Amino acid sequence: MVKEIEKTGIPVVHVCTVTPISITVGANRIVPAIAIPYPFGNPAKTSQEEKQIRRKLVETALNALTTPVTEQTIFEVK
């Protein structure tokens, strides 16, 4: 589905926990998530730490959306 949306000219970011799957399906912009049961967080963390984790993921995804790519690119969360 990611490739089909991008064919229309709409950039897409695939946030996923298993990046090799994203590569296999042809996603161009890939952001690694945290873990399979909790891709956008970690329930063992405090609510403030959870918020920081989520914010970094979303900021990385937004950065990926605005970055022109010519090949599959994995954007590391910093």
Side-chain angles (χ1 to χ4, degrees), residues 62-76:
L62 290 172
N63 179 53
L65 273 178
T66 60
T67 302
V69 296
T70 57
E71 59 186 30
Q72 291 179 308
T73 305
I74 297 176
F75 293 83
E76 294 299 327

Side-chain angles (χ1 to χ4, degrees), residues 6 19 21-22 32-33 36 38 52 54-56 63 67 70:
E6 287 214 349
T19 56
I21 292 173
S22 295
I36 290 172
Y38 306 103
Q52 290 173 344
R54 291 183 181 134
R55 184 176 195 90
K56 287 179 185 179
N63 179 53
T67 302
T70 57

